[in-house]
Amino acid sequence: MKKNPVIPYALIAVLGILAMIVLSFVGLDQQDEIANSGEQTEGEATASDPEAVFQNTCAGCHGADLSGGAGGAPSLQEVGSKYSQEEIQDIIMNGKGTGMPAGLVDAEQAEAIAAWLAEKK
């Protein structure tokens, strides 16, 4: 008696489709949890510590030690001696040239980072 060779492949395809549907529903539940936990973590760091905000949003280009680096980003180790707090905040909010993009952080975070950086002289 000959067996139909298509049946095992069809069975595997049906099981695969069912697995994708189940995992999709599980993923939808986890997506909301991940989004909510990310907002809480970011909010806690931004409200209390401008250095933590810097590490999360700016250190990729300006370096964790403020020494500059990626894409020609300038060192910020003595930025307070070159710019006032208001000028630093303006650069953070509006960007500068083609290398520094605007709007990476909100106004409250920009003010906190600018105050922190203005102390670097």
Side-chain angles (χ1 to χ4, degrees):
M1 190 155 149
K2 265 184 156 183
K3 291 184 178 181
N4 189 350
V6 176
I7 298 224
Y9 295 111
L11 183 61
I12 291 171
V14 169
L15 289 175
I17 291 170
L18 288 174
M20 288 175 32
I21 291 170
V22 169
L23 291 175
S24 295
F25 283 111
V26 170
L28 288 174
D29 291 337
Q30 291 178 347
Q31 180 182 7
D32 293 335
E33 292 174 17
I34 291 169
N36 292 338
S37 68
E39 290 172 3
Q40 291 170 354
T41 303
E42 185 179 331
E44 291 170 4
T46 59
S48 63
D49 189 10
E51 188 172 359
V53 177
F54 178 87
Q55 293 299 327
N56 289 333
T57 57
C58 311
C61 293
H62 290 284
D65 61 351
L66 306 173
S67 64
S75 170
L76 300 178
Q77 292 174 335
E78 297 178 358
V79 72
S81 62
K82 186 175 181 182
Y83 296 109
S84 69
Q85 178 178 341
E86 292 78 22
E87 291 171 322
I88 295 170
Q89 185 174 352
D90 181 62
I91 292 170
I92 293 170
M93 291 300 297
N94 301 315
K96 184 172 182 182
T98 58
M100 174 65 187
L104 293 176
V105 295
D106 63 32
E108 182 181 328
Q109 294 168 333
E111 184 178 355
I113 294 171
W116 177 68
L117 287 174
E119 298 171 359
K120 310 291 183 201
K121 297 184 182 200

